Amino acid sequence: WLRLGSDHGLIPSGAPGAVRSVAAIPKGQTEWYQRFFHAALGRGVYLPPSGFEVCFVSLAHEPRILDQARVALVEAARDAQAG
């Protein structure tokens, strides 16, 4: 069996590239993530409370659940970007 890691972080689009240091985090990240977090939570998707933490996908997440989360997160990202 081969398992790959599933940890990931979330940043708004517009980052100049891979974020590999605190200095590379786009300005406004904290405010954006706060809006995104609450918009996702309102749609039933529970994320880490800080944008500086990582998310994990588990084997307990079935494809149906992941698809529902994908739709909710896309909507939440649009709301967060709109401000």
Side-chain angles (χ1 to χ4, degrees):
W1 290 83
L2 172 66
R3 291 191 185 167
L4 300 176
S6 67
D7 63 323
H8 59 280
L10 301 165
I11 60 169
S13 63
V19 175
R20 301 188 192 281
S21 70
V22 173
I25 297 171
K27 290 193 182 295
Q29 162 68 11
T30 302
E31 294 81 9
W32 175 86
Y33 189 82
Q34 185 178 39
R35 293 189 306 269
F36 178 68
F37 171 83
H38 287 287
L41 189 61
R43 290 172 171 81
V45 178
Y46 299 86
L47 298 170
S50 168
F52 301 104
E53 298 178 56
V54 295
C55 302
F56 297 92
V57 175
S58 162
L59 292 175
H61 295 108
E62 301 171 354
R64 176 184 57 82
I65 298 297
L66 292 173
D67 193 50
Q68 289 173 350
R70 178 190 56 81
V71 170
L73 291 172
V74 167
E75 292 173 357
R78 287 185 182 135
D79 287 355
Q81 203 65 26

